[in-house]
Amino acid sequence: MTVERLYADIPIFLVRVMVVSFFSIGFIQFFQRLWNATFDQPNISSQRKWIRRIALTLLTVGLGTFVHLDAMLFVHNDSAIMYHNWALFILILPLLFGGFSKLEIVIQFLALIQIWYMHHAPNMFEPLTLIALVLFVISIVLLKIYREKIIRQWGIGVLGAVIIASIFWFTVPEYSMGMKVTTEWALQAVLLFGTMVAFVLGYWIRHYREDMRKRQLERLADYERGIKNNSYVDHQKELQEMFKKAQDTGTDLSFATFDLDNIKKVNDRFGRLAGNAVLLGTSEIMKRVLSDSGIEYQLFLTSGEEYNVVFPGSKVQDALPVVEACWQGIRKSEFAYEDRNINVTVSVGLTAIQPEDTTVNNIYKRSDDALLKSKQYGRDTITLNDKVVSGMPHEEKSLSDYCYFSQGIYDIAKEEPSMYYHELLLRTYDSMQKRWILPDYFEIPVWMQITLLKDFMEHTDVQNFNLNLTASQFEDIEVARALTQFAKSSEGPNRLTIEITDLKDSQTTRRISALYRSADMKIMIDDVGSDNSFELVRGALPYVNGMKFAMQNLRKVASDAELEERVNFWYKTAQENNLDFILEGVETEDDLKMAKKLGIPYAQGYFFGKPAPVK
C-alpha cells in the first residue's frame, strides 16, 4: 500500500522538488554573492566586513529558524516537508563556506541542534534518538571538514545529504510538528531533501567553479596591470631618499634583488596567466616573510619577475637570514594554477651601503653584479657581494624531517577504478612554513628511503609501490643492492617498481636492470614524450618494464586531439614492446573517458586525488 501511495504521489513530489529547488538555488546564489562581498573583496573596511558577517549569520540562522517555525505552527499537511527541508538546507548551507570564525560556526551548529530538538522533543532522551543525534552531529562536522571535497565531487555531497536527512527524519517521533509522522511521510521527506540537494548542488558547483576561475583570472589580470602601472621613477625617488638618509645619519642600509629563474619557461609551458599566478604567489610569500621578520623593510616590484628589497637601518648580517627565508619560501612552494602545482626557484644578489658610495646607483650595480654571479653559479643561489652564501651543498637532515606522500595509480579497466599502486613522492617538513614541501635535495641515503617506505607500508592495505630515483641513485650499484635485498625480504612489499625520469645510457640501464630483475622488481620510464623523447627512450626499451606519459606536461602546447594522438602513439609503443603503460595527469572525467577509449589500463592524476600523506 505504501509503495502504491508513493507512485500516486510522484507528480506532487516532482512539483515540490521543483519549487524547493527553485527557492534553494535563489538563496544559494544570494548567499554566495554576500559571502564574496564579505570575504573575497579587497580593501573592505573592518567595520563593513563585520556588518556583513553578522548579516550572513542572521540570514541563515534567522531565515532557517523562521521558515521552520512558520511551517511548524501553520502547515500541518504533507506540504510541511517542503518547508522543513528548505529550512534544514538553509541552516546547513553555511557549512560549505569557509572564512567563518569559531563563534559563527558554533552559532550555526546551535541553530541546527535547536531544529533537531524542536522536531524530536517528544522522544529526545530515548537511547535511539540520542544515538541518532550523535550521528547527526558527526555528519555535520564531517560536512564542515570535507567541504572542499564536496564542492569538487557532486556525488559525495548528495550521499551526505541523504545520510543527514535519513538520520533526521527517520528518528522523528510519531507525533511531531502538529501532525502524524508516518514511515511513508519520513521516506518522502528524505527523498525530497536528497533530490533537491542533487539538483541544487549540481547547479551550484558548476557556477561556483566558474566563479572561482573567473575571479582567479581577474586577480591574475589585475596583478599584470599592476606590473604595467608600476612606477620605476617613484621607486627610484623613494630609494634615493632612503639612501640619502642613511648617508646623512651614518646608519646601515642593505639591499637585495630577487629574480625568478626561468619564468619564461613557465609562461611557455603553462601560459601567461600561470606565470602571473607564480609571480603573485611569490610576492605574497615575500610580503608574509618580510612582515614576520620584525625588521624594517621596503619591497619594490621593479619588473614582472624582479623584486628589490631595501632594509633601512639593518646590517647585511641581519638582513641575510630574512633574505634566505624569502628564498627558501619561494623555492620550496608549489604555486597552484588550474589544478596544477608549479615550482620555481629564485636567484638573489645582496649588498649593503658602503662609505665610498656616492649615489644609489652604486648599490644597484653591486646588487646586479651579485645577482649575475648567482645566475652564473647555476641559479637558485644567494650571492653577497661577490661571495655565494646559499645554494651550496645541501644541509644534512634527519629521518624525521622526511616523509613519503602518495599519489594513487588506478586500475581503470574495471567499472569502478581501484588503486593498485602508490607512487611515493618525497617531502620534507619546513618549520618556517609549518608544512610539508618539496625537498631541495632528493638524494637521501637508501636506508632512509627503505625506513620511510616501511613506515608507509604499516598504514595502507595496498602493498604495491613506485619509488622515484634520481639519475645518480639509479646508476648506484649499492642503492640497487639495498633495494633488491629489501624487496626480496619478508619485510618487503608485494611489488616495488623503480621510476626514473633522467635516462642514462643504454649500457648503464642494461647493467642496473639485471640487478632489479633478480628481485622481480620493475623499472619504469617517467615523462615519456615530454622530458624523454622517443630517441632517448628507444635504446632503453629492451631493459625496462613500463613507461608513463604525463599529459600535464603537454596541455599548453597541444590541443586535445593532438594530446590524444600522442598518448595513443606511446601506448602503442608500450604494447609493441610488451611494456606496462600508465597515463599520468588524468584530471577530468573527459581525460578518464579518453584513456578508457584507447584501452589504457592504468591512470593517475588529480581526478583521483592530489598527493597526500598516508596517515
Side-chain angles (χ1 to χ4, degrees):
M1 181 66 183
T2 301
V3 176
E4 293 175 357
R5 177 64 185 277
L6 284 175
Y7 277 119
D9 287 345
I10 286 178
I12 298 176
F13 176 80
L14 293 177
V15 170
R16 288 171 178 166
V17 168
M18 287 189 291
V19 170
V20 74
S21 297
F22 174 80
F23 283 104
S24 297
I25 288 172
F27 179 79
I28 200 171
Q29 288 179 323
F30 178 78
F31 182 89
Q32 185 176 340
R33 282 197 296 269
L34 183 56
W35 185 91
N36 289 341
T38 305
F39 294 102
D40 203 42
Q41 181 175 319
N43 304 322
I44 182 176
S45 67
S46 177
Q47 181 181 7
R48 180 170 294 184
K49 186 171 184 177
W50 274 107
I51 291 174
R52 290 178 181 175
R53 291 177 73 152
I54 293 171
L56 279 171
T57 302
L58 291 177
L59 174 66
T60 53
V61 173
L63 181 60
T65 303
F66 172 78
V67 171
H68 168 75
L69 289 174
D70 190 59
M72 195 171 186
L73 294 173
F74 303 109
V75 185
H76 298 149
N77 53 43
D78 288 352
S79 298
I81 60 174
M82 187 169 62
Y83 297 99
H84 289 298
N85 271 324
W86 192 46
L88 188 62
F89 173 81
I90 291 171
L91 292 172
I92 290 176
L93 175 64
L95 301 176
L96 293 177
F97 289 80
F100 292 107
S101 68
K102 291 181 180 179
L103 176 61
E104 289 166 324
I105 294 172
V106 167
I107 292 173
Q108 293 164 5
F109 270 81
L110 290 177
L112 282 167
I113 298 301
Q114 177 194 28
I115 296 298
W116 175 280
Y117 175 77
M118 296 175 73
H119 279 269
H120 295 78
N123 65 345
M124 182 67 189
F125 297 103
E126 293 181 6
L128 181 61
T129 307
L130 292 175
I131 293 172
L133 176 58
V134 172
L135 294 176
F136 181 76
V137 172
I138 292 174
S139 300
I140 297 299
V141 171
L142 292 175
L143 184 73
K144 183 66 179 177
I145 294 174
Y146 295 104
R147 61 184 181 82
E148 293 183 0
K149 195 175 187 67
I150 291 170
I151 291 173
R152 292 194 302 268
Q153 299 187 29
W154 171 84
I156 295 177
V158 176
L159 177 61
V162 171
I163 291 173
I164 290 172
S166 298
I167 295 172
F168 188 91
W169 289 115
F170 284 121
T171 55
V172 169
E174 184 177 2
Y175 290 95
S176 178
M177 304 168 292
M179 64 177 296
K180 185 176 182 180
V181 181
T182 63
T183 302
E184 175 189 319
W185 200 94
L187 180 60
Q188 285 197 42
V190 172
L191 290 174
L192 178 63
F193 191 78
T195 308
M196 179 265 293
V197 168
F199 280 117
V200 175
L201 202 58
Y203 173 87
W204 176 63
I205 286 175
R206 185 175 71 256
H207 284 266
Y208 178 83
R209 289 172 177 169
E210 291 175 355
D211 184 63
M212 291 295 104
R213 174 171 169 74
K214 179 181 177 183
R215 285 190 287 125
Q216 182 193 34
L217 293 177
E218 289 175 349
R219 190 165 174 244
L220 297 180
D222 286 342
Y223 182 79
E224 188 170 78
R225 286 192 290 271
I227 292 173
K228 292 178 179 178
N229 296 331
N230 193 52
S231 175
Y232 178 75
V233 175
D234 290 342
H235 292 171
Q236 281 288 94
K237 183 179 179 181
E238 288 184 60
L239 187 55
Q240 185 66 46
E241 290 174 354
M242 286 187 282
F243 173 79
K244 188 175 186 305
K245 181 179 178 181
Q247 273 193 324
D248 293 344
T249 59
T251 54
D252 294 297
L253 183 144
S254 297
F255 185 90
T257 300
F258 291 74
D259 189 86
L260 293 181
D261 300 321
N262 298 321
I263 191 66
K264 185 177 183 301
K265 289 185 178 180
V266 175
N267 291 331
D268 293 342
R269 183 171 178 178
F270 300 106
R272 176 177 50 79
L273 289 181
N276 285 359
V278 172
L279 294 170
L280 181 59
T282 298
S283 64
E284 289 175 345
I285 287 173
M286 292 186 66
K287 289 174 183 176
R288 184 177 69 248
V289 173
L290 289 167
S291 63
D292 291 344
S293 67
I295 66 176
E296 186 180 354
Y297 73 92
Q298 187 71 39
L299 174 65
F300 298 113
L301 173 60
T302 57
S303 72
E305 58 198 61
E306 184 178 294
Y307 307 85
N308 287 333
V309 186
V310 187
F311 299 94
S314 292
K315 296 181 181 296
V316 74
Q317 294 83 359
D318 298 325
L320 180 57
V322 182
V323 170
E324 286 182 325
C326 291
W327 173 69
Q328 291 281 19
I330 294 168
R331 66 200 293 268
K332 294 186 176 182
S333 292
E334 295 178 333
F335 301 97
Y337 176 73
E338 291 189 343
D339 292 330
R340 293 178 178 83
N341 289 334
I342 303 171
N343 302 98
V344 294
T345 57
V346 62
S347 299
V348 186
L350 177 63
T351 189
I353 192 171
Q354 296 181 4
E356 61 270 22
D357 290 338
T358 56
T359 70
V360 72
N361 290 330
N362 297 127
I363 297 178
Y364 260 120
K365 184 178 182 301
R366 276 199 309 277
S367 178
D368 286 342
D369 291 344
L371 177 63
L372 178 61
K373 184 162 186 176
S374 290
K375 296 286 187 181
Q376 292 173 337
Y377 188 78
R379 302 183 178 89
D380 191 22
T381 301
I382 301 174
T383 300
L384 171 57
N385 293 322
D386 59 353
K387 181 181 178 182
V388 174
V389 293
S390 296
M392 301 295 284
H394 73 288
E395 177 186 351
E396 289 293 337
K397 292 192 174 187
S398 64
L399 180 65
S400 61
D401 292 318
Y402 293 100
C403 82
Y404 276 129
F405 276 38
S406 163
Q407 185 171 37
I409 299 172
Y410 285 78
D411 181 351
I412 61 173
K414 301 177 181 178
E415 186 174 344
E416 288 294 330
S418 59
M419 184 191 292
Y420 95 118
Y421 261 85
H422 292 281
E423 180 180 358
L424 299 175
L425 305 170
L426 189 65
R427 295 291 187 268
T428 185
Y429 190 74
D430 190 304
S431 57
M432 179 184 68
Q433 301 185 57
K434 293 183 174 58
R435 65 187 182 94
W436 292 95
I437 61 174
L438 288 168
D440 57 325
Y441 189 80
F442 286 87
E443 295 185 1
I444 63 174
V446 66
W447 69 266
M448 275 193 180
Q449 292 174 302
I450 293 173
T451 305
L452 292 172
L453 176 52
K454 284 181 180 178
D455 180 63
F456 193 102
M457 290 169 58
E458 293 178 2
H459 303 284
T460 178
D461 295 329
V462 178
Q463 293 291 300
N464 302 324
F465 302 95
N466 280 18
L467 183 66
N468 290 277
L469 295 183
T470 66
S472 59
Q473 287 173 324
F474 179 66
E475 67 177 355
D476 191 323
I477 296 293
E478 296 305 317
V479 171
R481 285 174 178 166
L483 290 175
T484 53
Q485 184 178 359
F486 171 64
K488 290 189 291 187
S489 71
S490 58
E491 295 180 298
N494 295 338
R495 176 71 67 180
L496 183 58
T497 298
I498 300 302
E499 281 195 28
I500 51 175
T501 301
D502 299 319
L503 281 174
K504 288 292 183 179
D505 59 89
S506 300
Q507 295 302 317
T508 301
T509 306
R510 185 180 68 179
R511 177 169 47 87
I512 295 296
S513 65
L515 274 172
Y516 286 115
R517 280 199 307 272
S518 69
D520 196 26
M521 294 174 63
K522 293 184 176 182
I523 299 173
M524 180 161 285
I525 305 174
D526 199 1
D527 293 342
V528 297
S530 52
D531 293 345
N532 291 306
S533 66
F534 183 73
E535 288 71 21
L536 288 173
V537 171
R538 180 169 50 187
L541 292 181
Y543 314 116
V544 300
N545 307 97
M547 59 177 67
K548 292 175 69 174
F549 183 94
M551 291 197 295
Q552 69 272 19
N553 292 348
L554 297 171
R555 287 190 188 275
K556 291 297 180 181
V557 297
S559 65
D560 291 344
E562 291 171 334
L563 194 57
E564 181 175 340
E565 183 180 353
R566 294 191 189 189
V567 171
N568 190 46
F569 167 79
W570 282 101
Y571 178 48
K572 295 300 182 186
T573 301
Q575 288 182 308
E576 291 167 2
N577 291 273
N578 297 314
L579 302 178
D580 295 334
F581 184 84
I582 298 172
L583 182 61
E584 188 180 2
V586 174
E587 299 176 354
T588 65
E589 186 73 38
D590 289 339
D591 290 341
L592 185 61
K593 288 179 181 178
M594 184 263 285
K596 289 187 175 182
K597 183 182 75 172
L598 296 177
I600 295 171
Y602 305 114
Q604 72 178 113
Y606 287 176
F607 178 79
F608 305 103
K610 293 186 178 181
V614 72
K615 295 180 184 179

